[in-house]
Amino acid sequence: MAENFNIRREREKQRRNAYAFEPVLQQDPQQQQFQRQPSSSSRPRLSRLNNTDWCRCGNCRPMPKEKECLCCHEGEDFSEKMTDVDCILKNESFKKVCLDKEILEVVFASRKELLGEGINHDELNNRNYRHIGYRCFIWWVYNRLKKRDRRVIPSCCVWAIRDQFPSVDGDYTGFIDAVADNEMDFVFE
């Protein structure tokens, strides 16, 4: 078994270093003058941390990770939920699907039943309401995601759910990237 692990690890190293010995392109000094100027897309992007300059709906708040600094106006996935509103929070369905305590309780109970777990209503606390609220948002926008396909929820939506079901100590987990199949071997070492 350890032998198989070592073989897999060696193959992974080879895949990562596949281009390690490719020759480097040497430019002729005469050709350098004809090089294009860097486009706006290659300029360094300003940080989104500690500000909301990136927000276009007016309801986002600063987030701890750059990846989480996402406005509902960014990306096509949210646009169909924003017809005739300037922020996804103003869509009545968002309020029903992600913030309504009764709906979230039904989803919680249904999920527990599908997983074959008993329903303990003492488990229903703000942390679980937030978790189910986030999942309901993902189902509402994307219907269903494949295994290990995680999506960032816009800041305005995250904070609406957090405001509805606040943490006692103000600590929140935030977005967690999925673990890839090839990384699973290292997780269980």
Side-chain angles (χ1 to χ4, degrees):
M1 179 143 163
E3 200 172 300
N4 286 341
F5 177 75
N6 290 334
I7 291 170
R8 277 193 311 231
R9 183 176 274 175
E10 188 60 36
R11 284 183 187 156
E12 183 62 32
K13 281 182 188 175
Q14 289 171 354
R15 266 194 301 256
R16 275 190 246 138
N17 295 328
Y19 299 102
F21 300 106
E22 289 289 316
V24 177
L25 175 65
Q26 299 294 325
Q27 280 194 325
D28 183 11
Q30 291 177 343
Q31 287 181 333
Q32 286 180 349
Q33 67 181 354
F34 298 111
Q35 259 186 333
R36 284 197 283 164
Q37 293 297 321
S39 69
S40 60
S41 63
S42 66
R43 285 188 209 137
R45 202 174 71 146
L46 297 175
S47 174
R48 291 179 164 222
L49 295 176
N50 302 318
N51 67 67
T52 56
D53 297 341
W54 43 269
C55 175
R56 292 181 20 216
C57 70
N59 295 307
C60 297
R61 296 187 210 165
M63 300 297 282
K65 298 177 189 170
E66 183 107 12
K67 186 178 227 172
E68 295 174 316
C69 297
L70 178 72
C71 180
C72 60
H73 282 270
E74 297 176 290
E76 298 172 17
D77 300 320
F78 313 122
S79 61
E80 71 180 53
K81 304 294 184 188
M82 293 176 45
T83 54
D84 302 325
V85 294
D86 58 350
C87 180
I88 201 167
L89 298 180
K90 294 181 181 174
N91 183 320
E92 286 300 314
S93 294
F94 172 81
K95 295 171 189 168
K96 291 176 192 169
V97 171
C98 302
L99 302 177
D100 187 301
K101 213 170 189 175
E102 290 181 50
I103 299 294
L104 297 178
E105 287 172 4
V106 170
V107 172
F108 179 79
S110 299
R111 192 159 183 262
K112 287 289 204 176
E113 187 175 315
L114 284 171
L115 294 172
E117 300 173 4
I119 300 168
N120 180 358
H121 290 283
D122 293 336
E123 288 182 82
L124 283 170
N125 54 37
N126 279 357
R127 184 171 190 260
N128 287 327
Y129 281 121
R130 283 193 308 275
H131 179 75
I132 296 299
Y134 301 145
R135 287 186 78 79
C136 285
F137 178 84
I138 294 297
W139 288 328
W140 178 56
V141 172
Y142 301 104
N143 295 318
R144 181 185 170 150
L145 296 179
K146 295 179 181 174
K147 186 178 181 181
R148 294 189 184 87
D149 183 7
R150 292 186 174 226
R151 305 289 171 98
V152 176
I153 298 172
S155 171
C156 52
C157 300
V158 169
W159 280 105
I161 293 169
R162 287 177 179 178
D163 288 344
Q164 185 76 14
F165 308 107
S167 169
V168 177
D169 57 7
D171 285 339
Y172 299 98
T173 303
F175 182 78
I176 301 171
D177 283 306
V179 177
D181 283 333
N182 61 352
E183 295 173 353
M184 289 303 290
D185 294 334
F186 301 109
V187 171
F188 296 110
E189 281 187 337

